[in-house]
Amino acid sequence: MATAYTPKVTGDGVRARVQRVGGYLAGMVMPNIGAFIAWGLITALFIPTGWTPNKELGELVDPMIKFLLPMLIGYTGGRMVHGQRGAVVGAVATMGVVVGAEQPMFLGAMIMGPLAAYLLKLFDGLVEDRIRPGFEMLVDNFSAGIIGAGMAVVGKLTIGPVVRTLTNSAGDAVEWLVDNDVLPLASVLIEPAKVLFLNNAINHGVLSPLGVQQAAEHGKSILFTLESNPGPGLGVLLAYFFFGPRKLRPTAPAAMIIHFFGGIHEIYFPYILMKPRMILAAIAGGATGVAIFLAFDTGLVATPAPGSIFAYLAQTPKGVSNWIGIYTGVFASIAVSFGVGAALLGFGRLAEPAEDGDASATETEDAGDGRDTEGPDTEGPDTGDGKAEPAAQPTAS
């Protein structure tokens, strides 16, 4: 589905299908970026390690990330599938996966919101034109309530545990890489997991506890840098700013500020979800940073929370080699991520959705008889002279 931020992808190739899925996931997040920024500002200001620590105001942080943001995502996902009725049912169903979860259930919300709305859409299709006059509101309300309640229970009992299992598996895989001293390869797992909003689970569930042990023995740990490095995300956003879709470029500067200076990495995840190939840029940048941290034998003294450049300044241990190693790694990861991201966007040539779809679809055209073999999404009607009229530009929905 197209939105103002995730324009329609044409074609039916494998890459186009992956982009549709990614664009759909991004479409659930992008309309709620303002809420992410609000949470990010509150986090950066009021947590114990923030700019103006305040215990009372800091109590807003956990409820917002564990309840408000997943509920907004589930609500938006439901609305994309079945309008306002789908939005309400999607939010109710999302409540089932967020209750009792230790980590933010963004991924669970992306599943439950659209799924519950789709079931309601199927039900509405079955009873359409079969309801007696005067009973429409009764049927509409009770059907939404029953499906919403049922999906909330399903989410609590099934989807929630599945997402938790996925989170634990990702954490175990990262821990194996750490134990086997192949840290640069950890980015191959960490960066995709971050984009699926598993970053807090990996960082605070796996890397931070191990890092605390190392820091107690050596005064620093490289494990604190694996997930928190703001370089790869900034490189991706820079690539979007210079070479991304024109509609999206104006949103990048604010995202850069929130990400790099505020430490809210979630802000750049939708940009990768819209074009999944951009995960390669984040992986390349992350691996570059880890390799440089290893080469300089450096690390941080504690978890930089949130993962901003200012938090890095506060947690870098004394010593010239530590400072050189940390900031060489951060800025090298920015450069590599930007370079790879720019190349993946074709330096602007592959950024627009029509070009992405054309590149992924298998297109053949018979110029001799005026017939075209493409689907209706890629070209307009045949004018009869062997030429097809240009398709209408995708519109926001």
Side-chain angles (χ1 to χ4, degrees), residues 17 26 38 70-71 104 144 156 160 280 289 293-294 331:
R17 292 172 185 172
M71 296 284 285
K156 173 67 175 175
L280 298 177
F293 298 149
L294 278 174
F331 287 101

Side-chain angles (χ1 to χ4, degrees), residues 179-248:
D179 293 340
N180 288 273
D181 298 323
V182 284
L183 287 181
L185 292 179
S187 297
V188 175
L189 291 175
I190 290 175
E191 297 300 332
K194 285 176 66 175
V195 171
L196 293 175
F197 295 93
L198 301 177
N199 51 318
N200 288 318
I202 289 176
N203 191 27
H204 300 297
V206 178
L207 298 176
S208 290
L210 296 174
V212 168
Q213 297 176 16
Q214 286 190 2
E217 297 175 5
H218 307 291
K220 60 186 177 183
S221 174
I222 192 176
L223 301 181
F224 293 132
T225 68
L226 298 187
E227 184 275 337
S228 64
N229 183 1
L234 181 59
V236 168
L237 292 172
L238 283 169
Y240 265 97
F241 178 68
F242 288 104
F243 304 113
R246 289 181 179 85
K247 288 184 178 180
L248 210 57

Side-chain angles (χ1 to χ4, degrees), residues 1-203:
M1 175 176 180
T3 72
Y5 297 106
T6 58
K8 186 176 181 179
V9 178
T10 58
D12 56 2
V14 174
R15 192 173 78 178
R17 292 172 185 172
V18 171
Q19 285 180 330
R20 285 193 186 96
V21 174
Y24 193 87
L25 296 178
M28 287 187 258
V29 180
M30 290 300 293
N32 300 306
I33 286 296
F36 277 86
I37 291 175
W39 170 75
L41 292 173
I42 291 172
T43 302
L45 290 173
F46 302 128
I47 63 174
T49 56
W51 290 100
T52 57
N54 185 304
K55 183 177 180 181
E56 183 176 358
L57 295 178
E59 293 175 354
L60 291 168
V61 173
D62 277 354
M64 288 182 73
I65 193 172
K66 289 184 177 180
F67 293 95
L68 174 64
L69 296 180
M71 296 284 285
L72 285 173
I73 290 173
Y75 180 93
T76 305
R79 189 180 185 90
M80 292 169 68
V81 173
H82 195 42
Q84 183 62 27
R85 279 169 55 73
V88 173
V89 171
V92 173
T94 300
M95 196 67 185
V97 295
V98 302
V99 170
E102 296 181 1
Q103 63 272 8
M105 276 289 179
F106 294 110
L107 185 58
M110 290 178 176
I111 296 172
M112 292 304 300
L115 179 60
Y118 181 68
L119 293 178
L120 181 63
K121 184 177 182 179
L122 291 179
F123 176 84
D124 286 349
L126 289 175
V127 301
E128 187 177 8
D129 299 328
R130 298 181 182 180
I131 304 174
R132 295 191 177 208
F135 288 89
E136 293 91 349
M137 183 175 292
L138 180 67
V139 173
D140 285 351
N141 288 337
F142 272 87
S143 62
I146 292 170
I147 291 175
M151 291 304 293
V153 172
V154 170
K156 173 67 175 175
L157 298 179
T158 60
I159 303 298
V162 168
V163 174
R164 284 193 291 271
T165 300
L166 178 62
T167 301
N168 294 334
S169 298
D172 292 341
V174 172
E175 187 173 3
W176 182 88
L177 293 174
V178 172
D179 293 340
N180 288 273
D181 298 323
V182 284
L183 287 181
L185 292 179
S187 297
V188 175
L189 291 175
I190 290 175
E191 297 300 332
K194 285 176 66 175
V195 171
L196 293 175
F197 295 93
L198 301 177
N199 51 318
N200 288 318
I202 289 176
N203 191 27

